Amino acid sequence: VKRQTILSRELGDAPDADTSRQRQRLERCWLWHGTNVEVMDKILQQGFNRSFCGKNATVYGKGVYFARDTSYSASPTYAVKDSKGYQYIMAFWGGVGG
């Protein structure tokens, strides 16, 4: 089963000139997401689902939040400690901009 990326869903699958220009304006970089171990397992199995958002922080509204810096995602607000005191952050190679 092929999982559709958010980018391909937003831009569509047709390789026309406008889509090509939009892709060129994207910058690829590492993005970070702080979470807890239970949610991390669900993300790995199902991907990010915006309908489950808002458990730890929704300052800018419902959605999936990524950080440029690991220190932000490692904040206890986002990477909630488990019973052993471990925190969890996930790394993604993604595109930003547009």
Side-chain angles (χ1 to χ4, degrees):
V1 174
K2 179 185 172 193
R3 288 177 52 177
Q4 185 181 34
T5 65
I6 293 172
L7 177 62
S8 65
R9 190 170 52 235
E10 302 265 333
L11 299 178
D13 291 327
D16 61 15
D18 288 335
T19 302
S20 178
R21 280 192 293 276
Q22 287 176 320
R23 289 178 194 265
Q24 289 174 356
R25 291 197 315 240
L26 293 176
E27 178 183 338
R28 304 288 279 174
C29 63
W30 284 104
L31 301 170
W32 308 94
H33 181 80
T35 188
N36 62 51
V37 69
E38 292 85 15
V39 173
M40 184 174 67
D41 288 338
K42 290 178 184 176
I43 291 170
L44 291 172
Q45 292 171 9
Q46 304 169 12
F48 284 99
N49 185 338
R50 288 184 282 180
S51 64
F52 298 128
C53 298
K55 183 176 179 185
N56 294 326
T58 55
V59 174
Y60 300 104
K62 281 194 165 190
V64 179
Y65 291 81
F66 296 95
R68 177 187 61 194
D69 302 314
T70 56
S71 60
Y72 193 82
S73 292
S75 164
T77 302
Y78 309 110
V80 180
K81 291 182 180 181
D82 67 9
S83 61
K84 295 179 182 178
Y86 294 118
Q87 291 177 277
Y88 300 86
I89 60 173
M90 301 177 79
F92 297 91
W93 182 247
V96 296

Short mmCIF file of all heavy atoms in Angstrom, two decimals, residues 27 29-35 65-76 78-79 87-92 96:
data_model
loop_
_atom_site.label_atom_id
_atom_site.label_comp_id
_atom_site.label_asym_id
_atom_site.label_seq_id
_atom_site.Cartn_x
_atom_site.Cartn_y
_atom_site.Cartn_z
N GLU A 27 12.40 23.78 0.86
CA GLU A 27 13.71 23.49 1.42
C GLU A 27 13.60 22.21 2.23
O GLU A 27 12.69 22.06 3.05
CB GLU A 27 14.16 24.63 2.33
CG GLU A 27 15.49 24.39 2.98
CD GLU A 27 15.88 25.51 3.93
OE1 GLU A 27 15.37 26.62 3.78
OE2 GLU A 27 16.69 25.24 4.82
N CYS A 29 14.79 19.70 5.13
CA CYS A 29 15.52 19.81 6.39
C CYS A 29 14.96 18.79 7.38
O CYS A 29 13.91 18.21 7.17
CB CYS A 29 15.42 21.22 6.95
SG CYS A 29 13.74 21.72 7.37
N TRP A 30 15.69 18.61 8.49
CA TRP A 30 15.22 17.75 9.56
C TRP A 30 14.18 18.51 10.38
O TRP A 30 14.36 19.68 10.69
CB TRP A 30 16.37 17.32 10.47
CG TRP A 30 17.21 16.26 9.85
CD1 TRP A 30 18.44 16.43 9.29
CD2 TRP A 30 16.89 14.89 9.71
NE1 TRP A 30 18.90 15.23 8.81
CE2 TRP A 30 17.96 14.26 9.06
CE3 TRP A 30 15.78 14.11 10.07
CZ2 TRP A 30 17.98 12.91 8.76
CZ3 TRP A 30 15.80 12.76 9.77
CH2 TRP A 30 16.88 12.18 9.13
N LEU A 31 13.10 17.83 10.71
CA LEU A 31 12.04 18.39 11.55
C LEU A 31 11.86 17.45 12.74
O LEU A 31 12.06 16.24 12.63
CB LEU A 31 10.73 18.50 10.77
CG LEU A 31 10.80 19.36 9.51
CD1 LEU A 31 9.53 19.19 8.69
CD2 LEU A 31 11.01 20.81 9.88
N TRP A 32 11.46 18.01 13.87
CA TRP A 32 11.38 17.25 15.12
C TRP A 32 9.99 17.35 15.71
O TRP A 32 9.34 18.39 15.62
CB TRP A 32 12.42 17.78 16.10
CG TRP A 32 13.78 17.82 15.49
CD1 TRP A 32 14.37 18.89 14.87
CD2 TRP A 32 14.69 16.74 15.37
NE1 TRP A 32 15.60 18.53 14.39
CE2 TRP A 32 15.83 17.22 14.69
CE3 TRP A 32 14.66 15.42 15.80
CZ2 TRP A 32 16.92 16.42 14.41
CZ3 TRP A 32 15.76 14.61 15.52
CH2 TRP A 32 16.87 15.12 14.84
N HIS A 33 9.55 16.27 16.34
CA HIS A 33 8.22 16.22 16.94
C HIS A 33 8.33 15.53 18.30
O HIS A 33 8.72 14.37 18.39
CB HIS A 33 7.26 15.45 16.03
CG HIS A 33 5.87 15.37 16.55
ND1 HIS A 33 4.98 16.41 16.42
CD2 HIS A 33 5.21 14.38 17.20
CE1 HIS A 33 3.83 16.06 16.97
NE2 HIS A 33 3.94 14.84 17.46
N GLY A 34 8.01 16.26 19.37
CA GLY A 34 8.03 15.70 20.71
C GLY A 34 6.72 15.00 21.02
O GLY A 34 5.65 15.48 20.67
N THR A 35 6.78 13.84 21.67
CA THR A 35 5.58 13.07 21.96
C THR A 35 5.85 12.14 23.15
O THR A 35 6.88 12.24 23.80
CB THR A 35 5.14 12.28 20.71
OG1 THR A 35 3.87 11.68 20.96
CG2 THR A 35 6.15 11.23 20.31
N TYR A 65 2.45 19.65 14.86
CA TYR A 65 3.52 20.63 15.03
C TYR A 65 4.89 19.98 14.90
O TYR A 65 5.12 18.91 15.46
CB TYR A 65 3.43 21.28 16.42
CG TYR A 65 2.24 22.18 16.58
CD1 TYR A 65 0.98 21.67 16.86
CD2 TYR A 65 2.37 23.55 16.45
CE1 TYR A 65 -0.11 22.49 17.01
CE2 TYR A 65 1.27 24.39 16.60
CZ TYR A 65 0.04 23.85 16.89
OH TYR A 65 -1.04 24.68 17.03
N PHE A 66 5.77 20.66 14.18
CA PHE A 66 7.15 20.22 14.04
C PHE A 66 8.05 21.39 14.43
O PHE A 66 7.69 22.54 14.24
CB PHE A 66 7.47 19.80 12.61
CG PHE A 66 6.69 18.60 12.16
CD1 PHE A 66 5.50 18.76 11.47
CD2 PHE A 66 7.12 17.32 12.44
CE1 PHE A 66 4.76 17.67 11.06
CE2 PHE A 66 6.40 16.22 12.04
CZ PHE A 66 5.21 16.40 11.34
N ALA A 67 9.23 21.07 14.93
CA ALA A 67 10.18 22.11 15.32
C ALA A 67 11.45 21.99 14.48
O ALA A 67 11.80 20.90 14.02
CB ALA A 67 10.54 21.98 16.80
N ARG A 68 12.11 23.11 14.31
CA ARG A 68 13.39 23.15 13.61
C ARG A 68 14.51 22.65 14.52
O ARG A 68 15.47 22.05 14.07
CB ARG A 68 13.65 24.58 13.15
CG ARG A 68 14.98 24.79 12.46
CD ARG A 68 15.23 26.25 12.22
NE ARG A 68 15.27 26.92 13.52
CZ ARG A 68 15.21 28.22 13.69
NH1 ARG A 68 15.07 29.02 12.67
NH2 ARG A 68 15.25 28.76 14.89
N ASP A 69 14.38 22.92 15.82
CA ASP A 69 15.43 22.59 16.79
C ASP A 69 14.96 21.50 17.74
O ASP A 69 13.84 21.54 18.24
CB ASP A 69 15.81 23.84 17.60
CG ASP A 69 16.27 24.97 16.71
OD1 ASP A 69 17.09 24.71 15.81
OD2 ASP A 69 15.82 26.12 16.92
N THR A 70 15.85 20.56 18.03
CA THR A 70 15.49 19.47 18.94
C THR A 70 15.16 19.96 20.35
O THR A 70 14.32 19.38 21.02
CB THR A 70 16.63 18.43 19.03
OG1 THR A 70 17.83 19.10 19.42
CG2 THR A 70 16.84 17.72 17.72
N SER A 71 15.82 21.03 20.77
CA SER A 71 15.59 21.52 22.13
C SER A 71 14.13 21.93 22.34
O SER A 71 13.59 21.77 23.43
CB SER A 71 16.51 22.70 22.44
OG SER A 71 16.29 23.77 21.53
N TYR A 72 13.48 22.43 21.31
CA TYR A 72 12.07 22.81 21.42
C TYR A 72 11.19 21.58 21.58
O TYR A 72 10.33 21.52 22.45
CB TYR A 72 11.66 23.62 20.19
CG TYR A 72 10.35 24.33 20.33
CD1 TYR A 72 10.27 25.55 20.99
CD2 TYR A 72 9.19 23.77 19.83
CE1 TYR A 72 9.06 26.19 21.13
CE2 TYR A 72 7.98 24.41 19.97
CZ TYR A 72 7.92 25.62 20.61
OH TYR A 72 6.72 26.25 20.75
N SER A 73 11.41 20.57 20.74
CA SER A 73 10.60 19.35 20.81
C SER A 73 10.88 18.54 22.07
O SER A 73 10.04 17.78 22.52
CB SER A 73 10.87 18.48 19.58
OG SER A 73 10.37 19.10 18.44
N ALA A 74 12.07 18.69 22.65
CA ALA A 74 12.42 17.96 23.86
C ALA A 74 11.85 18.60 25.12
O ALA A 74 12.00 18.06 26.21
CB ALA A 74 13.95 17.85 23.98
N SER A 75 11.18 19.72 24.97
CA SER A 75 10.55 20.37 26.11
C SER A 75 9.53 19.41 26.75
O SER A 75 8.82 18.70 26.05
CB SER A 75 9.83 21.63 25.64
OG SER A 75 8.92 22.08 26.62
N PRO A 76 9.45 19.38 28.08
CA PRO A 76 8.48 18.50 28.75
C PRO A 76 7.03 18.78 28.37
O PRO A 76 6.17 17.93 28.56
CB PRO A 76 8.72 18.77 30.24
CG PRO A 76 10.09 19.33 30.32
CD PRO A 76 10.32 20.06 29.04
N TYR A 78 5.99 18.97 25.33
CA TYR A 78 5.72 18.14 24.15
C TYR A 78 6.21 16.71 24.33
O TYR A 78 5.49 15.77 23.99
CB TYR A 78 6.39 18.76 22.93
CG TYR A 78 6.05 20.22 22.78
CD1 TYR A 78 7.00 21.21 23.00
CD2 TYR A 78 4.76 20.62 22.48
CE1 TYR A 78 6.68 22.55 22.89
CE2 TYR A 78 4.43 21.95 22.37
CZ TYR A 78 5.38 22.92 22.58
OH TYR A 78 5.05 24.24 22.49
N ALA A 79 7.41 16.53 24.83
CA ALA A 79 7.98 15.20 25.05
C ALA A 79 7.78 14.85 26.52
O ALA A 79 8.66 15.02 27.36
CB ALA A 79 9.46 15.19 24.69
N GLN A 87 12.13 10.70 27.69
CA GLN A 87 11.35 11.55 26.79
C GLN A 87 11.58 11.06 25.37
O GLN A 87 12.61 10.48 25.06
CB GLN A 87 11.80 13.01 26.90
CG GLN A 87 11.44 13.64 28.23
CD GLN A 87 11.98 15.04 28.30
OE1 GLN A 87 13.15 15.22 28.61
NE2 GLN A 87 11.13 16.02 28.00
N TYR A 88 10.62 11.35 24.48
CA TYR A 88 10.69 10.85 23.12
C TYR A 88 10.47 11.98 22.12
O TYR A 88 9.51 12.74 22.23
CB TYR A 88 9.62 9.77 22.89
CG TYR A 88 9.82 8.60 23.82
CD1 TYR A 88 9.27 8.61 25.10
CD2 TYR A 88 10.58 7.51 23.43
CE1 TYR A 88 9.47 7.55 25.96
CE2 TYR A 88 10.77 6.43 24.29
CZ TYR A 88 10.22 6.46 25.56
OH TYR A 88 10.42 5.42 26.42
N ILE A 89 11.40 12.08 21.16
CA ILE A 89 11.20 12.99 20.04
C ILE A 89 11.44 12.20 18.76
O ILE A 89 12.26 11.27 18.72
CB ILE A 89 12.10 14.25 20.11
CG1 ILE A 89 13.59 13.89 20.10
CG2 ILE A 89 11.76 15.10 21.29
CD1 ILE A 89 14.48 15.11 20.00
N MET A 90 10.71 12.55 17.73
CA MET A 90 10.81 11.87 16.44
C MET A 90 11.45 12.80 15.43
O MET A 90 11.18 14.00 15.43
CB MET A 90 9.41 11.44 15.98
CG MET A 90 8.73 10.53 16.98
SD MET A 90 7.06 10.08 16.50
CE MET A 90 7.41 8.81 15.29
N ALA A 91 12.27 12.24 14.56
CA ALA A 91 12.97 13.01 13.52
C ALA A 91 12.36 12.69 12.17
O ALA A 91 12.08 11.52 11.86
CB ALA A 91 14.45 12.67 13.51
N PHE A 92 12.15 13.74 11.35
CA PHE A 92 11.60 13.58 10.00
C PHE A 92 12.42 14.40 9.03
O PHE A 92 12.82 15.53 9.34
CB PHE A 92 10.15 14.05 9.95
CG PHE A 92 9.25 13.24 10.82
CD1 PHE A 92 9.02 13.63 12.13
CD2 PHE A 92 8.67 12.08 10.34
CE1 PHE A 92 8.21 12.86 12.95
CE2 PHE A 92 7.87 11.32 11.16
CZ PHE A 92 7.64 11.71 12.46
N VAL A 96 9.90 22.22 3.76
CA VAL A 96 9.22 23.39 4.32
C VAL A 96 9.33 24.53 3.32
O VAL A 96 10.22 24.57 2.47
CB VAL A 96 9.83 23.82 5.68
CG1 VAL A 96 9.63 22.75 6.73
CG2 VAL A 96 11.29 24.16 5.55
#
